[in-house]
């Protein structure tokens, strides 16, 4: 029987306190993820076990992450482990890219997964982008961040954030209050993203000036949007006719990002989702980019990823 593989890592370029402070469970998490035993003494880490080489790759990736970002979050640790298990490579270098998001006030708005990085690159390189994936993958949040960066960089004159109010069938007249009161519940996630990136008084002023508009999809008919960054959120709840109407609003100098989760369609089953159909309708137009995010790109609580996978298994079984 062969002896267990052993790896020893000298912590020459990394301060052990930086590596382990605030990550008391880091070694336990790595040991639980790989078939290894880890001992940290002074300026060295000893790894023993059949998967010592993978654990060593992880540590070198964590060192790279520390040098580039200055910290290792619990979310990043679990993501790096999953990437190394799948591909044998860590994500640290692939996530370190320069994008328009560097001009955002909040410095930590950056891609947290490779899928998010590819999504951001797609937005910056294409005029029309579809971001399709499950909840928690940052589809709307990153699109809003790109919109704010574009506005600050004077690439666009305004931001228009659109959502279908499908739960009310877009027949909002029976709801109490003015139009803002009627649609606010449906647009709250967009407000939340904006407030993470701009001061509240700045948002209020920009909305009063019409630089930022937050509107229900039904109110987009007949408009032409020039030099604007337009986001259609929850696009899985559009019909084919509504999707066509929205896409044909895009004018000169504008960019459109359409986001949605095709596993959470609230439409009547008799009506086909515009987000599902559009993938076939526009598939032969190379200038339009479809960016697909998966449960690997979930950046909410790590249990969200497991919940999504559990529902996928359940729905597959039902079919």
């Amino acid at each position: 029987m062969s002896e267990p593989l052993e790896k020893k890592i000298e912590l020459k370029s990394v301060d052990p306190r930086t590596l382990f402070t605030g990550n008391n469970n880091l070694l336990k998490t790595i040991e639980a993820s790989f078939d290894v035993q880890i001992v940290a003494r002074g300026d060295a880490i000893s790894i023993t076990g059949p998967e010592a080489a993978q654990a060593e790759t992880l540590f070198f990736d964590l060192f790279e992450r520390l040098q580039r970002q200055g910290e290792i979050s619990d979310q990043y640790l679990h993501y790096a482990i999953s990437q190394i298990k799948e591909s044998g490579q860590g994500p640290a270098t692939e996530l370190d890219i320069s994008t328009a998001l560097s001009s955002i006030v909040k410095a930590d708005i950056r891609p947290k997964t490779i899928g998010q990085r590819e999504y951001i690159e797609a937005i910056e390189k294409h005029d029309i982008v579809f971001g399709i994936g499950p909840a928690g993958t940052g589809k709307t949040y990153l699109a809003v961040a790109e919109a704010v960066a574009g506005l600050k960089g004077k690439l666009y004159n305004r931001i228009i954030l659109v959502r279908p109010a499908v739960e009310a069938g877009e027949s909002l007249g029976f709801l109490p209050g003015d139009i803002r009161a009627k649609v606010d519940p449906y647009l709250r996630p967009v407000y939340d993203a904006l407030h993470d990136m701009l001061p509240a008084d700045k948002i209020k002023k920009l909305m009063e000036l019409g630089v930022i508009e937050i509107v229900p999809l039904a109110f987009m008919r007949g408009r032409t949007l020039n030099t604007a960054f337009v986001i259609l959120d929850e696009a899985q709840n559009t019909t084919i006719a509504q999707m066509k109407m929205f896409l044909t609003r895009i004018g000169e100098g504008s960019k459109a990002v359409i986001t949605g989760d095709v596993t959470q369609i609230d439409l009547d089953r008799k009506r086909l989702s515009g987000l599902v159909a559009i993938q076939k309708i526009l598939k032969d137009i190379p200038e339009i980019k479809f960016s697909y995010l998966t449960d690997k790109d979930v950046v909410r609580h790590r249990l969200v990823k497991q919940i999504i996978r559990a529902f996928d298994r359940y729905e597959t079984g039902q079919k």
Side-chain angles (χ1 to χ4, degrees):
M1 186 171 66
S2 61
E3 292 294 322
L5 185 63
E6 182 174 359
K7 296 286 186 179
K8 188 173 182 180
I9 302 174
E10 300 288 341
L11 301 178
K12 295 179 180 179
S13 61
V14 178
D15 185 342
R17 294 171 297 178
T18 306
L19 181 63
F20 299 115
T21 300
N23 289 281
N24 295 327
N25 295 320
L26 186 143
L27 295 184
K28 292 181 180 179
T29 299
I30 297 173
E31 285 182 328
S33 303
F34 299 100
D35 187 4
V36 295
Q37 293 77 47
I38 303 172
V39 177
R41 288 197 181 97
D43 294 335
I45 297 173
S46 176
I47 311 169
T48 306
E51 296 183 326
Q54 285 184 299
E56 180 187 45
T57 299
L58 174 65
F59 273 108
F60 286 132
D61 183 79
L62 296 180
F63 299 161
E64 186 73 25
R65 178 72 173 183
L66 276 173
Q67 291 180 345
R68 292 172 181 268
Q69 304 295 344
E71 63 177 358
I72 300 170
S73 65
D74 184 62
Q75 186 272 333
Y76 179 81
L77 174 62
H78 285 279
Y79 180 64
I81 290 170
S82 68
Q83 286 295 112
I84 288 170
K85 280 181 169 291
E86 181 177 320
S87 67
Q89 296 181 336
T93 56
E94 293 192 64
L95 291 180
D96 190 33
I97 61 170
S98 176
T99 74
L101 295 185
S102 60
S103 65
I104 292 289
V105 172
K106 191 175 179 183
D108 63 350
I109 299 178
R110 56 174 68 95
K112 295 181 179 179
T113 69
I114 295 171
Q116 286 191 346
R117 186 210 69 195
E118 292 172 348
Y119 176 51
I120 288 173
E121 289 177 340
I123 293 173
E124 295 186 356
K125 294 177 181 178
H126 297 80
D127 288 338
I128 297 179
V129 176
F130 289 83
I132 302 173
T137 50
K139 304 181 300 295
T140 302
Y141 193 86
L142 292 174
V144 173
E146 284 284 350
V148 173
L151 184 68
K152 292 181 64 179
K154 301 187 185 305
L155 298 176
Y156 310 100
N157 294 332
R158 51 185 172 156
I159 298 172
I160 300 175
L161 306 160
V162 185
R163 254 193 169 211
V166 70
E167 294 85 350
E170 292 200 315
S171 298
L172 302 173
F174 69 91
L175 294 174
D178 60 14
I179 185 60
R180 175 67 61 80
K182 293 176 192 291
V183 302
D184 264 4
Y186 305 102
L187 301 172
R188 179 48 52 187
V190 177
Y191 284 111
D192 291 342
L194 276 175
H195 280 279
D196 262 6
M197 299 163 202
L198 293 170
D201 57 339
K202 180 72 170 178
I203 294 172
K204 182 179 179 181
K205 182 178 180 181
L206 291 174
M207 291 183 72
E208 288 173 350
L209 294 172
V211 175
I212 296 179
E213 288 186 64
I214 304 179
V215 296
L217 177 60
F219 293 8
M220 295 294 290
R221 194 173 301 278
R223 300 185 64 179
T224 300
L225 309 174
N226 295 318
T227 324
F229 195 117
V230 192
I231 299 171
L232 172 57
D233 192 31
E234 297 290 334
Q236 75 274 6
N237 290 328
T238 63
T239 64
I240 296 174
Q242 287 173 325
M243 181 65 76
K244 178 182 178 182
M245 180 271 289
F246 173 80
L247 291 173
T248 53
R249 302 306 94 204
I250 310 305
E252 288 294 324
S254 289
K255 185 184 294 287
V257 179
I258 301 93
T259 68
D261 177 0
V262 294
T263 69
Q264 296 193 37
I265 298 172
D266 297 321
L267 292 170
D268 186 318
R269 290 185 178 181
K270 295 179 181 179
R271 295 188 293 175
L272 182 62
S273 165
L275 186 60
V276 173
I278 207 68
Q279 296 174 67
K280 295 180 180 180
I281 295 170
L282 302 182
K283 65 182 177 65
D284 294 326
I285 303 178
E287 292 86 355
I288 295 176
K289 178 69 174 179
F290 288 88
S291 182
Y292 294 94
L293 297 156
T294 70
D295 55 66
K296 297 174 187 175
D297 302 302
V298 171
V299 293
R300 291 179 183 168
H301 193 288
R302 59 190 180 87
L303 286 176
V304 173
K305 182 185 299 185
Q306 297 181 44
I307 291 168
I308 291 170
R309 289 177 176 173
F311 269 96
D312 286 343
R313 290 192 296 269
Y314 170 77
E315 290 165 0
T316 301
Q318 291 294 97
K319 291 177 182 178

